[in-house]
Amino acid sequence: MTPAEIAPKDRLIVALDLPSVDAAEAMIAKLGDSVTFYKIGYQLAYAGGLPLIGKLADKGKKVFADLKMHDIGNTVTRGVESVAKLGATFLTVHAYPQTMKGAVEGRGKASLKILAVTVLTSYNDDDLHAAGYRLSVSELVEARAQQAQVLGVDGLVCSPEEVGALRKTVGHQMSLVTPGIRPAGSATGDQKRIMTPGRAIAAGADYLVVGRPVVEAADPRATADAIQAEIAAALG
Ligand SMILES: O=C(O)c1cc(=O)[nH]c(=O)n1[C@@H]1O[C@H](COP(=O)(O)O)[C@@H](O)[C@H]1O
């Protein structure tokens, strides 16, 4: 699917960062038909949330399995083979060459798309240096994007700040999925590389991942609707 073909509504991915399947199902009911795409990450997956992938897919929703895999190549390959049977649209792995290679092998011809997490949006240059890297965030994102493209990865997770440069590197063949989204006035929390929904879309992001600003809102549905409206306006 080319970026222009993604419906504005399908560009918002709500992160179900919630402590239980019951809490997630209550949030899904609250959001109703406002939200078509959900993300299941560590908190919900480790609380028994993986079967929700199939349940949501059966209801016509799309699911991003944010399992951020990283292990020896063979283990990643076998793990991805298992996830490919669950009905998810996207699966994350960390953007290390062996990991990405193993993930692409595990995906095979399945419909699951592999997203490589370039540099987490809670990191800045100082955090990377503290972790032992010599490159800046923008340099490491760029290097990993090039490696991901060569290895046949389907898309990248990056901050909206890198989207403009990455489009030039990978064109429209790879989906660019951006967390670090903060509607004007919402709390930043632990995110360091952030943008508003409208600016992220204008920068060229295909999908926006939003967690706390929606699931911790007093009215999650109204917040999701407002983000959808901002996305639609930015697309013009
Ligand atoms: O892979 C991700 O989705 C991810 C990558 C990244 O670099 N930064 C990031 O925040 N995320 C996820 O995106 C979501 C952002 O949540 P909020 O900060 O609450 O909007 C969380 O579920 C994170 O795990």
Side-chain angles (χ1 to χ4, degrees):
M1 184 178 286
T2 68
E5 287 167 342
I6 309 167
K9 203 173 171 162
D10 295 339
R11 291 171 183 264
L12 170 64
I13 303 177
V14 170
L16 290 169
D17 291 335
L18 294 161
S20 67
V21 173
D22 284 352
E25 284 181 330
M27 182 57 61
I28 292 161
K30 245 183 231 173
L31 292 168
D33 52 16
S34 280
V35 173
T36 60
F37 212 146
Y38 286 103
K39 182 171 87 75
I40 295 178
Y42 284 2
Q43 189 180 15
L44 185 56
Y46 290 134
L50 288 182
L52 257 187
I53 296 176
K55 270 185 159 181
L56 282 166
D58 288 346
K59 285 190 200 157
K61 306 284 187 190
K62 290 204 217 170
V63 186
F64 168 176
D66 180 20
L67 302 178
K68 288 194 183 68
M69 290 185 181
H70 184 42
D71 208 315
I72 59 169
N74 180 65
T75 299
V76 172
T77 300
R78 302 297 164 229
V80 173
E81 281 171 0
S82 294
V83 175
K85 296 178 188 137
L86 300 179
T89 297
F90 289 146
L91 167 67
T92 40
V93 302
H94 282 290
Y96 287 76
Q98 285 186 11
T99 301
M100 295 191 285
K101 187 168 179 285
V104 168
E105 206 176 310
R107 179 207 62 200
K109 292 193 187 335
S111 59
L112 179 71
K113 303 284 183 212
I114 305 296
L115 302 180
V117 180
T118 53
V119 174
L120 291 166
T121 53
S122 60
Y123 279 59
N124 60 20
D125 289 345
D126 290 341
D127 296 309
L128 275 188
H129 296 153
Y133 292 89
R134 280 178 288 110
L135 301 180
S136 65
V137 168
S138 56
E139 288 167 340
L140 188 56
V141 167
E142 178 67 28
R144 288 179 164 174
Q146 287 179 16
Q147 290 172 330
Q149 189 175 36
V150 168
L151 290 167
V153 169
D154 304 294
L156 301 167
V157 178
C158 59
S159 105
E161 291 179 6
E162 293 96 43
V163 162
L166 285 186
R167 267 293 170 233
K168 292 196 188 106
T169 306
V170 303
H172 287 284
Q173 298 310 308
M174 298 180 88
S175 298
L176 298 182
V177 179
T178 59
I181 300 299
R182 287 294 179 267
S186 57
T188 306
D190 53 353
Q191 298 285 7
K192 291 193 179 140
R193 307 196 323 278
I194 60 169
M195 240 182 232
T196 61
R199 287 190 53 220
I201 289 289
D206 294 316
Y207 296 93
L208 311 186
V209 177
V210 188
R212 289 162 289 186
V214 170
V215 301
E216 293 180 0
D219 186 341
R221 184 166 182 148
T223 307
D225 286 341
I227 295 171
Q228 302 273 16
E230 203 177 319
I231 291 173
L235 288 166

